[in-house]
Amino acid sequence: MSFTRIVLILLFVLAVSSYESMKVTPDQYSWNGKFKPTFPIEGLFDSKYNSDTDTPLPPGDWDWEDSSLANWRNFKDNLGNFTELFDENGDQFGWKLVTHETNADWDALGSYWEGSAGLNLAGLGPEGKIHSTGDTAFGSGPTVLSFLDAWSLDARTSTNDDLVLIGYCNNLDDPSKRSPDGKFHFQTATIHTLSGNDRVYVRDIGRAAIDLGNGNSGRTDTIDENDGDDIVAIHGNSYDFRMFGGNGNDVFFWYVDENNQEENWLGPNFFGSGGWGDALWGGDGTDRLVMVIPTDTTIVNGTGYTSKGTFRFVKVDGEFSSDQPTESDLYARYCVTCGTHEGDNRKTAIFEYRSEDESVFTAWFYVTNIEELQIGIGENAKVYEIDDVNGILNYNPDLIALEEPEFPTNYCKDVEDDTGSTTNDGNKVSEFIKSITFSMLIIQLILNLI
C-alpha cells in the first residue's frame, strides 16, 4: 500500500471519529434523557418573535403596551441574553439564559421569560439570587434552574421533568458538609415543580416549601394527575419547612445531622400528597422519608423523653389543626395534624429525633400520608413501614434501602458540559465540516508534494 493511501485512510478515520463524537448523548435534550422532541418543536419560539423574525426569542411577555420589545430590552440590559441550543443535525431543542453577571439577580423582570416547550437552562450562578416575584414559570419543556439565595418567591418550573439546584453549585467540593453557621439561603419562598418526574436538591431551607406535584399550578388542595416519581434531597440547615409529594412514588432525603442548629426545634411537615382537603390522603404510589442519620440509631415507639442517638415515633394525632398564617393562601395552606382519614383511619404521624452528640434536636415534626421510613443510607440502612393508624414503626427486611441519586455537578458548568450539545456560536455540524475540509487540504498538500 502506498504512503499516500495510508495517509488518506488515517485522515478518513480521524474525520469519522470526529463525527462519532458528535452523536446525541442520552442526556442531550434534557437533564435525565427522557425528553424526546419531534422537530421542529412547537412552542419553542414566541408567537410574535419567532424564528422568521429579526429577533427570534423564546415565549415571553416581551412588549410593554404599545412599545414593541420594551420588556425584552429591559430583560436583556439588566439580566441577560439567550443562546439557542442545537443538536448535531442543526435542530434547535432549547434555550440557555446567559446572564451578564456570573451571579445573577433575578427579580420580577425575569418573569418576562415564560419558558418554552424545549429545554430551558436557567443557571443563575453559584451565588445567584431569585426573589420578589410570584409570576416565574417555565412552560412545558424540561427545565434546569439553579441559584443560591431566594426570598419572597413563588415560582413554577415546567410541566415536564425538572431539575432544581438550590444552594449547591457553591458547595461542589462537599455538598454534604455541615453548614458553617445557622444561615438559611432558601427562605420565605416556594418552588412548584408541577407535573413530571422532578428532582430537587436544596441546601439551607428555612420557613419555605418545595411542592413536587400539587395540581392546578400548585394548590395544596389538588393533586396533579400527571405528576410522576419525584425526589428531593434536603441538606444543610433545615427549619420550619414543608415538603409536598403530589402523585407517584416520592422520596424525601433529609440530612438532618448537617444542621448547625440555632433554633430550639426544626419542626418540618412532610406530605406524601397535598396539604389540604381532598389532596391530603389522595395520590397514587408509595412514598418514603429517608432520615440520613446513623444506621445504629435507636428506634422507639411511644411517648417519652427522646435521649441522644434516638429516633422516636411519638404518636399519631387524629385531630385537625391548620397552620393559621397560611389559611388564606390556596398555594401555601396546610394542616399540622390533618384529622382522621375516613375508611382506613390513617392519621398524621409525629416523630422526634436527637443526634448522638445532642447538637441536633428536631422536637416534634409531622408526617402525613407517607408509607415508609428509612433510617440511614448504605449497607446497614433499614426500612420500616409506618403504621399511622396505631402509631408503630414495623421493620420490613424485604424493603430495599435507597441511595440519594448522584448530584449532577455538570449543570453547574457551561452549556457544552450541561447538554453535550452546542449553541449557535459553534454548531457541531460545522465542526464536522471543518474537520473534513481540513483533512482534504492536508490530502491535497501531500499529493502536491509527491
Side-chain angles (χ1 to χ4, degrees), residues 281 340-346 389:
W281 303 99
T340 301
H341 185 225
E342 293 184 10
D344 57 14
N345 293 321
R346 294 183 66 185
V389 175

Side-chain angles (χ1 to χ4, degrees), residues 67 90 108 148 188 211 234 251 258 271 295 302 416 431 433 442:
S67 180
L148 173 62
T188 62
D211 162 24
I234 308 153
V251 183
E258 292 179 13
F271 297 91
T295 56
E416 288 197 356
E431 291 178 5
I433 294 172
I442 295 296

Side-chain angles (χ1 to χ4, degrees), residues 90-103:
D91 292 318
Q92 185 179 346
F93 63 90
W95 302 87
K96 180 188 178 183
L97 173 66
V98 181
T99 59
H100 295 311
E101 303 294 334
T102 302
N103 298 304

Side-chain angles (χ1 to χ4, degrees), residues 205 207-208 234 238-243 254 256 259 265-271 289 291 334-336 348-351 361-368:
I205 177 174
R207 298 178 297 278
I234 308 153
S238 49
Y239 164 70
D240 190 21
F241 61 89
R242 263 72 55 203
M243 295 286 154
W254 188 16
V256 63
N259 274 278
W265 52 275
L266 300 181
N269 303 81
F270 292 90
F271 297 91
L289 171 61
M291 297 294 297
Y334 68 97
C335 46
V336 179
T348 296
I350 302 176
F351 297 129
F361 177 57
T362 64
W364 288 9
F365 67 95
Y366 304 85
V367 175
T368 301

Side-chain angles (χ1 to χ4, degrees), residues 333-395:
R333 61 182 178 174
Y334 68 97
C335 46
V336 179
T337 56
C338 301
T340 301
H341 185 225
E342 293 184 10
D344 57 14
N345 293 321
R346 294 183 66 185
K347 309 173 186 69
T348 296
I350 302 176
F351 297 129
E352 188 172 82
Y353 166 72
R354 191 187 302 270
S355 64
E356 179 65 32
D357 63 3
E358 300 190 85
S359 64
V360 173
F361 177 57
T362 64
W364 288 9
F365 67 95
Y366 304 85
V367 175
T368 301
N369 196 18
I370 293 179
E371 290 77 20
E372 297 173 354
L373 172 74
Q374 179 176 321
I375 299 296
I377 55 177
E379 182 179 357
N380 296 316
K382 294 182 179 179
V383 183
Y384 298 80
E385 295 174 332
I386 300 174
D387 180 348
D388 52 16
V389 175
N390 300 300
I392 299 172
L393 290 175
N394 296 309
Y395 172 58

